[in-house]
Amino acid sequence: MATIVLIPGFWLGAWAWDRVAEPLRAAGHDVVPVTLPGLAERVGEGPAGIDQDAHVQAVVDLLEKDDLRDVVLVGHSGGGITAYGALDRVPDRVARIVFVDSGPLADGTAQIDTAEPEEQEGIRRQVAESGGVAIPVPPFDAQADPVNLAGLSDADLALLRERGTPQPWGVATGPLRLTDPARYDVPSHLVASTFPQEVVEQMTAAGHPFFAEFAAARTRTVHAVPTGHWPMFSEPVRLAEVLDGIARS
């Protein structure tokens, strides 16, 4: 069995993985959901002063403090960027990395860079209007965002609104720093949810810049879990099955 470390995406804490962690533990895995600085029960540590480097270092500290090795490191959405930064710092501790509706960014790239200019401007406006240090929790309105919120019940949407925490702005704007080419030796897996599996494979083969690091991995696999952007809520059993298969591979 494997040690599976689960890193949530923006606005979420370790709690977001509850429905996935349960079946993985039942399958015999040691599951470690993570809450990053400035979020959920660690909200008192931020959001001011928390950047991408702080989140990466928090994951590295966890792996080193608990001497975790042969880890299956899983990152959802923006948490995939953080997971990749941690892999770069301690590649000897990671057996496999998994991006859930996410992917590895290149050195010097920030999460905000993945958004279109108009979307970036809207986010910057929201941050400025709410104090300048965090991205407010989204409204999670299924009618306004049917693709990303596909598969979520009214109760799921309410839970995300109620338990979500403003995301430290520095995590979105802070560039990822990568230095160790050993990261390419770690088998890389991508769980495609909002993008069809074949589209991800085509974009990777075509050399799309947001998939360049994934394409550079010596071993890479794409898995399909078609749903919205939050499969830990909309398809937790299927997602757990995929992670279990990766851990056993």
Side-chain angles (χ1 to χ4, degrees), residues 64-88:
E64 293 183 333
K65 174 178 175 292
D66 294 343
D67 195 25
L68 301 181
R69 297 183 181 276
D70 296 323
V71 165
V72 177
L73 186 59
V74 182
H76 165 250
S77 189
I81 303 169
T82 299
Y84 198 53
L87 166 65
D88 180 75

Side-chain angles (χ1 to χ4, degrees), residues 4-5 16 52 70 91 93 115 118 151 206 230:
I4 304 176
V5 176
Q52 183 64 253
D70 296 323
R93 292 182 178 272
E118 184 177 346
W230 312 88

Side-chain angles (χ1 to χ4, degrees), residues 184-211:
Y184 299 129
D185 296 328
V186 176
S188 186
H189 297 260
L190 193 154
V191 177
S193 293
T194 54
F195 279 86
Q197 178 177 354
E198 58 271 20
V199 171
V200 173
E201 292 171 342
Q202 289 167 6
M203 294 175 73
T204 301
H208 190 288
F210 290 155
F211 289 90

